[in-house]
């Protein structure tokens, strides 16, 4: 008897995805109805592509010519994987959506972002550029693809998460959120961060991607890449993340569970070549998505919460 016969893979039900999708669509329509200048954060990553799919179902009717009623917003560090930004542009163009890209490099030119040294990661500095974009475009609601299962600070967030006039989050002063009674009241200068897929897990996302045939950047599936092992992470060898003295690069079959700034995002060893294989692989993982792939979240247990208080998404 072979191993597969002894340990058959489970047959997964997708029935719960209908409820998750319905909730996400309801939230997106609630944002469109309750706010004057919302936007959808769109990086080209898998969670934002799932959001975009839900937004497409919520609003787009090709026969009536209706489109997503708010623009897409990307905060670009200038250090993103080109496969992701190319796919971001392709998908926005395909949908006929307005895409706004604000660059951390522009904040650096204005002097509002100052790096400690040239090689410092720009990831945390996205908060400054994001808050500048909110002020410039007067956004009052930002829809994002954060999920509670990603990281403990994100698990604290309400679905409609209030930000004060300084763009800051006060986790100890969050408003009650009962059933679907969302509190959308804001004062001038304040805004909300809204998370329609907050109740989804990484497995739900991949099951949805498989069921809906959601296209993703190629980085999400198995490919050959030069990496170096640093403290248990497979750091990609790139111009931005070169080898250190004494290190030797090895070629591994990897895929990315999450994509972001090149200087902070690592792939994982994986042979998964499509969404169905990623679903099966996700059933066996025991490390959170960000815990397995992000260098910046390992600085301390409270690093994400500290950044979110300062305006990070």
């Amino acid at each position: 008897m072979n191993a597969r016969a002894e340990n058959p893979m489970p047959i997964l039900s997708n029935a719960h995805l209908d409820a998750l999708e319905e909730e996400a669509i309801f939230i997106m329509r609630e944002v469109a109805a309750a706010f004057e200048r919302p936007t959808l954060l769109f990086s080209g990553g898998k969670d934002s592509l799932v959001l975009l799919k839900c937004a497409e179902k919520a609003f787009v009717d090709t026969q009536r010519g209706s489109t997503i009623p708010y623009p897409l917003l990307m905060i670009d560090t200038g250090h993103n994987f080109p496969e992701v930004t190319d796919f971001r542009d392709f998908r926005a163009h395909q949908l006929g959506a307005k895409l706004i890209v604000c660059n951390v490099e522009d904040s650096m030119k204005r002097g509002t972002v100052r790096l400690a040294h040239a090689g410092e990661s720009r990831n945390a500095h996205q908060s400054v550029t994001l808050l500048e974009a909110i002020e410039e475009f007067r956004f009052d609601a930002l829809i994002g693809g954060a999920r509670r299962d990603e990281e403990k600070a994100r698990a604290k967030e309400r679905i409609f998460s209030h930000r004060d006039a300084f763009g800051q989050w006060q986790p100890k002063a969050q408003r009650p959120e009962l059933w679907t009674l969302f509190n959308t009241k804001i004062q001038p200068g304040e805004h909300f961060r809204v998370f329609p897929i907050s109740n989804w897990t990484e497995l739900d996302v991949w099951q949805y991607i498989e069921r809906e045939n959601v296209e993703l950047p190629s980085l999400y599936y198995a490919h050959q890449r030069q990496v170096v092992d640093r403290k248990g992470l497979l750091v990609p060898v790139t111009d931005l993340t070169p080898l250190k003295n004494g290190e030797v690069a090895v070629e591994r079959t990897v895929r990315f569970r999450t994509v972001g700034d090149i200087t902070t995002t690592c792939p994982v060893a994986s042979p998964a070549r499509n969404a169905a294989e990623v679903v099966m692989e996700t059933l066996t993982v025991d490390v959170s998505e960000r815990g397995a792939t992000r260098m910046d979240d390992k600085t301390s247990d409270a690093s994400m919460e500290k950044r979110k208080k300062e305006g990070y998404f």
Side-chain angles (χ1 to χ4, degrees), residues 251-269:
E251 186 166 286
R252 298 281 298 274
T253 302
V254 300
R255 71 174 178 87
F256 285 82
R257 289 175 68 182
T258 181
V259 294
D261 191 291
I262 292 172
T263 62
T264 62
T265 310
C266 299
V268 295

Side-chain angles (χ1 to χ4, degrees), residues 229-275:
D229 191 329
R230 287 182 192 158
K231 299 179 181 179
L233 292 176
L234 298 179
V235 178
V237 179
T238 69
D239 292 342
L240 296 170
T241 51
L243 292 171
K244 297 180 180 178
N245 289 337
E247 289 183 334
V248 177
V250 294
E251 186 166 286
R252 298 281 298 274
T253 302
V254 300
R255 71 174 178 87
F256 285 82
R257 289 175 68 182
T258 181
V259 294
D261 191 291
I262 292 172
T263 62
T264 62
T265 310
C266 299
V268 295
S270 169
R273 296 163 299 175
N274 54 53

Side-chain angles (χ1 to χ4, degrees), residues 204-232:
D204 296 329
V205 168
W206 277 107
Q207 284 185 262
Y208 190 77
I209 289 168
E210 182 191 10
R211 188 184 79 167
E212 300 292 326
N213 293 316
V214 177
E215 289 184 76
L216 299 182
S218 59
L219 292 177
Y220 280 107
Y221 300 116
H223 58 282
Q224 297 296 115
R225 182 173 290 271
Q226 292 282 318
V227 298
V228 60
D229 191 329
R230 287 182 192 158
K231 299 179 181 179

Side-chain angles (χ1 to χ4, degrees), residues 46-115:
K46 71 179 189 308
D47 296 316
S48 66
L49 284 162
V50 165
L51 270 185
L52 196 64
K53 183 67 177 180
C54 292
E56 188 178 355
K57 289 193 175 190
F59 301 111
V60 176
D61 185 331
T62 53
Q63 291 186 338
R64 297 183 178 181
S66 59
T67 59
I68 298 172
Y70 26 73
L72 314 181
L73 173 66
M74 163 75 171
I75 305 300
D76 196 333
T77 63
H79 289 171
N80 293 293
F81 291 97
E83 296 95 327
V84 177
T85 51
D86 289 348
F87 196 84
R88 171 201 69 190
D89 296 343
F90 159 75
R91 193 71 180 95
H93 177 74
Q94 188 182 46
L95 265 181
K98 181 181 179 182
L99 174 64
I100 300 171
V101 179
C102 296
N103 297 288
V104 172
E105 289 186 0
D106 289 336
S107 298
M108 293 166 62
K109 292 175 183 174
R110 287 191 288 268
T112 51
V113 167
R114 296 182 180 180
L115 303 183

Side-chain angles (χ1 to χ4, degrees), residues 10-173:
I11 299 174
L12 296 178
S13 168
N14 284 338
H16 67 295
L17 296 180
D18 291 332
L20 291 173
E21 180 189 72
E22 182 179 347
E23 181 186 55
I25 288 174
F26 170 79
I27 291 167
M28 288 184 165
R29 288 175 173 165
E30 183 75 2
V31 170
F35 295 92
E36 293 183 0
R37 301 179 70 86
T39 185
L40 192 156
L41 288 171
F42 181 61
S43 65
K46 71 179 189 308
D47 296 316
S48 66
L49 284 162
V50 165
L51 270 185
L52 196 64
K53 183 67 177 180
C54 292
E56 188 178 355
K57 289 193 175 190
F59 301 111
V60 176
D61 185 331
T62 53
Q63 291 186 338
R64 297 183 178 181
S66 59
T67 59
I68 298 172
Y70 26 73
L72 314 181
L73 173 66
M74 163 75 171
I75 305 300
D76 196 333
T77 63
H79 289 171
N80 293 293
F81 291 97
E83 296 95 327
V84 177
T85 51
D86 289 348
F87 196 84
R88 171 201 69 190
D89 296 343
F90 159 75
R91 193 71 180 95
H93 177 74
Q94 188 182 46
L95 265 181
K98 181 181 179 182
L99 174 64
I100 300 171
V101 179
C102 296
N103 297 288
V104 172
E105 289 186 0
D106 289 336
S107 298
M108 293 166 62
K109 292 175 183 174
R110 287 191 288 268
T112 51
V113 167
R114 296 182 180 180
L115 303 183
H117 53 84
E120 181 186 2
S121 171
R122 300 175 181 180
N123 193 46
H125 295 293
Q126 291 181 82
S127 305
V128 174
T129 309
L130 176 61
L131 294 176
E132 290 173 347
I134 292 169
E135 182 176 3
E136 178 183 355
F137 294 97
R138 295 185 291 117
F139 293 128
D140 53 7
L142 288 84
I143 303 169
R147 310 186 319 268
R148 289 188 173 121
D149 77 325
E150 283 183 87
E151 200 275 340
K152 59 184 68 175
R154 288 185 166 170
K156 293 182 180 180
E157 290 263 22
R158 301 287 192 263
I159 290 178
F160 281 68
S161 190
H162 176 261
R163 295 295 189 273
D164 64 21
F166 300 99
Q168 296 179 330
W169 177 51
Q170 302 295 338
K172 294 182 179 179

